[in-house]
Amino acid sequence: MGQQLPKRIKTVWRLQAGLNLLIDIGIVVGIIVCHYIFSWPTWLIWVASLLAMMAAIIQFTLIPYRYQFWRYQLSEHDVEITTGFFVRKTTAVPILRIQDVTLSAGPLLQFNHLQSVKIHTAAAVHEIGGVDHATATQLKNQIMNLAKEEDVYDS
C-alpha cells in the first residue's frame, strides 16, 4: 500500500490554495479597475469572480481526497509514487535509473517542517512532496545506497 505523507502536508496544501485565492482576488480587482478605467464589460467581472470562487472551492474541497491517495513506497528495485483521486497514477522509478536525490523545501514546507524529496533520472524528476526532515534524509540515504549497490552489481 505504501507510506502516506504526514498530515501536516494538508496545511501546506491549504496555504497554497489560500495563496491561489489571493492571486485570483487580485485578478478580479484588476478587472474591476479596468472596468472603471477602460469601460470593460460588467459580465467579465462576474465571470472572473465565479471562476475564482469555483477554483477555491474545488481546491479546498479536494485536499482530503488528495491526501488519501498520495503515497510512496521504496523497494529494492524501485521507488513507487502513487497520486491522483480521479485519475490514479502510479509511477515506478527503477533504482538503476536514479542519478541523484535532492531535498528541497520552499517557504510553506519549511514553515511546516517538511521537505520535498526529488528523485532525478536522465528523463525526468520525480517528487515525493512533503515528508518530515528525518524521513526525507532517511529516504535520500536509502535510495542512494540502493542505487550504489545496483551500480556495483551491474559493473
Side-chain angles (χ1 to χ4, degrees):
M1 186 85 171
Q3 298 290 319
Q4 199 166 29
L5 298 177
K7 289 190 180 210
R8 290 191 311 253
I9 194 66
K10 290 196 242 177
T11 303
V12 172
W13 292 340
R14 283 186 198 102
L15 289 170
Q16 286 174 338
L19 289 173
N20 289 341
L21 177 60
L22 288 176
I23 291 169
D24 290 345
I25 289 171
I27 291 170
V28 170
V29 168
I31 291 173
I32 291 171
V33 168
C34 289
H35 168 72
Y36 286 109
I37 294 174
F38 303 113
S39 299
W40 282 13
T42 307
W43 64 265
L44 196 58
I45 298 170
W46 291 107
V47 169
S49 300
L50 181 66
L51 289 174
M53 189 171 54
M54 285 174 40
I57 289 170
I58 289 169
Q59 284 182 354
F60 282 108
T61 303
L62 293 180
I63 287 173
Y65 299 106
R66 183 178 176 186
Y67 176 75
Q68 184 177 357
F69 294 111
W70 222 112
R71 301 193 180 282
Y72 66 94
Q73 184 172 355
L74 176 63
S75 72
E76 291 180 20
H77 304 291
D78 62 9
V79 179
E80 286 187 12
I81 303 169
T82 303
T83 60
F85 31 88
F86 293 124
V87 178
R88 299 290 303 265
K89 177 182 170 186
T90 300
T91 304
V93 183
I95 296 293
L96 286 172
R97 302 285 184 224
I98 295 174
Q99 295 179 338
D100 193 20
V101 180
T102 59
L103 305 179
S104 64
L108 295 179
L109 287 175
Q110 286 179 8
F111 180 72
N112 287 283
H113 307 291
L114 298 173
Q115 284 187 318
S116 181
V117 179
K118 293 185 180 180
I119 303 165
H120 301 263
T121 64
V125 177
H126 306 279
E127 184 174 3
I128 302 172
V131 294
D132 298 315
H133 289 293
T135 306
T137 304
Q138 179 185 5
L139 271 172
K140 177 183 176 182
N141 292 336
Q142 284 180 325
I143 293 169
M144 292 308 292
N145 287 336
L146 286 170
K148 286 178 188 175
E149 288 175 16
E150 291 286 334
D151 193 36
V152 168
Y153 292 129
D154 286 343
S155 297

